[in-house]
Amino acid sequence: MPDKIVKQDPPETFAQTLVRHGVELTRDRTVTLQVNTGRLCSLSCRHCHLEAGPGRGETMTRETMDSVIDAARRLPFASIDITGGAPELVPDLEYLLRGVAPLAPRVVVRTNLVSLDERLARLYRELRVVLVASFPALNAGQTSAQRGEGVWEKSIEALKLLNSVGYGVPGEGVELDLVSNPSGAFLPAAQAGSEKRFRAELSRRYGVSFDNLFCFANVPLGRFLAWLEKSGNLEGYREKLAAGFNPCAVAGLMCRSQLSVDWDGALYDCDFHLAAGIPFGGGVANIRELQELPAPGTPIPTAQYCFACTVGSGFT
Ligand code: SF4
C-alpha cells in the first residue's frame, strides 16, 4: 500500500490571522516614546532580540538625544521609555534623562541591573525614573545559562542597592518592576502566580522587594531566533505562539500606543520592528521630522513574530 501523502497547509500569516478574527492592527492614541540608546551592553543574553553585547559600538550621540528631547518638548508624550543595550553604558545618559525628565510625566529606564552603580541609582531616584529590570528567574543556574556567569549574584546586589535608595520600597514613591522571561522554547508561566512567588522568595532569601513582575514570551528574532534554529526548536515554538493567539490581546499591543526611536534617530512602530528593520508605518523616517503624533487608525505593519505579542494574555 502506498504511503499516505499528508498535505501540510502553509502556516497562516499574522495578517491572515487578524483577518480571520475580524481584527485590524491600527494605531490608537500614541502616548509613549521608546528610545533605544544603542546596542552596547555588558551582557550577551541568549534571548536578546537585538543581539546587544559588549562588542557592539552603536550608541546614541548627543545630537540624536537633542532630537529626542526636542520631540518630547513639542509632542505630548505621557511616557518616555529608555532602553538599549544597556542605557547605563551610554556616556550621555544623564544628559538625555535630565533633558526628558521635565517633559513627560513618566520616564522609564530598562536596566539589566549589572551595569548599574550607586551614582546612577541616586540619579534615577532624584529624577523619579521608573526602573524596569531584567530578572528572568529565581534560579541562579537558569539565570547564568541565559545571561552569563555571575549575573545572578550581581543582580541580587543591584536589587539590594536599589532598595537601599528607596526603589521598590512601599511609601518611597519610586517604582521598581521586574521582567521575567522563559529560558527556552516555551511560554511564560501565569503572571499573577509568578509575581507572588518572586515576591515571597526574594523577600525570604535576600530581603529584597519590588513593585510589579511582568512575564513576557521571548520574541523569535536576533539571538533568540538563532538559538531556536540551532536547537531545532524554531518550528515548534512558532506553532506554539500561533496556537496561543488571543484576539483580545490586540487592543493592548504596545505598537498601538508607542513609537520607537533607534540610536540613530530612525523611527519604528515597536522595538521588534526596530530589530527586524521594518520602518514606522506612519511614513516619517526620523524623529527630527516628526511634527505630530500618528493619527489613530494609522495601519501598523505586521510580521510573523507579532504572534509573540498576542499569545495568551499578550506582551504588554
Ligand atoms: S511585534 Fe508586537 S508590538 Fe511590534 S508590531 Fe508586531 S504586534 Fe505590534
Side-chain angles (χ1 to χ4, degrees):
M1 200 167 114
D3 285 351
K4 195 174 164 198
I5 296 170
V6 179
K7 185 174 170 295
Q8 276 217 301
D9 290 330
E12 192 174 63
T13 65
F14 185 76
Q16 288 166 335
T17 301
L18 290 179
V19 171
R20 183 161 57 82
H21 286 269
V23 188
E24 284 188 338
L25 185 52
T26 57
R27 284 202 165 262
D28 194 356
R29 205 160 66 86
T30 300
V31 294
T32 299
L33 180 65
Q34 187 166 65
V35 183
N36 193 306
T37 51
R39 306 294 184 273
L40 180 62
C41 189
S42 43
L43 305 177
S44 304
C45 298
R46 192 169 73 184
H47 62 272
C48 183
H49 63 278
L50 282 159
E51 301 183 73
R56 300 291 298 262
E58 308 94 317
T59 301
M60 187 173 273
T61 61
R62 228 178 229 231
E63 197 187 349
T64 307
M65 287 178 183
D66 282 334
S67 298
V68 169
I69 296 165
D70 286 347
R73 190 172 293 122
R74 66 179 177 266
L75 298 168
F77 289 109
S79 174
I80 309 280
D81 183 338
I82 296 171
T83 185
E88 283 96 351
L89 300 184
V90 176
D92 285 321
L93 176 65
E94 182 168 348
Y95 178 80
L96 176 63
L97 285 175
R98 290 197 185 279
V100 295
L103 303 174
R106 185 176 166 94
V107 175
V108 177
V109 170
R110 296 188 185 250
T111 176
N112 69 9
L113 289 175
V114 304
S115 307
L116 192 67
D117 60 21
E118 191 169 343
R119 184 190 71 82
L120 280 165
R122 293 195 181 281
L123 173 71
Y124 292 156
R125 159 101 217 194
E126 178 199 331
L127 299 177
R128 306 221 153 233
V129 164
V130 174
L131 290 179
V132 178
S134 304
F135 194 84
L138 284 171
N139 175 319
Q142 182 183 327
T143 303
S144 302
Q146 199 169 338
R147 309 186 71 211
E149 272 314 308
V151 172
W152 169 263
E153 292 78 5
K154 286 184 190 156
S155 301
I156 295 291
E157 285 314 305
L159 291 177
K160 286 182 180 169
L161 166 66
L162 290 172
N163 280 175
S164 77
V165 298
Y167 271 98
V169 177
E172 289 286 335
V174 275
E175 184 177 329
L176 170 63
D177 300 328
L178 305 183
V179 171
S180 160
N181 59 302
S183 63
F186 48 90
L187 302 179
Q191 189 160 289
S194 296
E195 183 176 281
K196 220 169 151 189
R197 204 162 45 84
F198 273 58
R199 199 179 301 290
E201 283 290 289
L202 287 177
S203 168
R204 185 181 64 80
R205 283 158 62 190
Y206 306 103
V208 160
S209 59
F210 62 92
D211 290 291
N212 307 292
L213 175 81
F214 302 118
C215 298
F216 293 146
N218 292 315
V219 178
L221 277 170
R223 214 174 274 133
F224 187 60
L225 175 62
W227 177 81
L228 287 168
E229 280 170 337
K230 210 169 122 199
S231 61
N233 279 301
L234 181 58
E235 204 182 325
Y237 187 66
R238 282 187 169 149
E239 281 169 7
K240 239 178 250 173
L241 294 179
F245 177 77
N246 172 10
C248 300
V250 174
L253 289 173
M254 62 182 168
C255 51
R256 303 199 64 219
S257 61
Q258 86 168 38
L259 273 172
S260 282
V261 54
D262 205 355
W263 65 276
D264 58 359
L267 282 175
Y268 300 87
D269 289 279
C270 72
D271 205 46
F272 306 123
H273 279 2
L274 179 155
I278 299 178
F280 168 50
V284 180
N286 194 286
I287 188 81
R288 285 189 310 270
E289 300 147 16
L290 189 73
Q291 294 307 322
E292 53 191 26
L293 295 179
T298 305
I300 297 167
T302 60
Q304 281 312 79
Y305 50 77
C306 291
F307 279 117
C309 301
T310 51
V311 67
S313 52
F315 200 96
T316 46

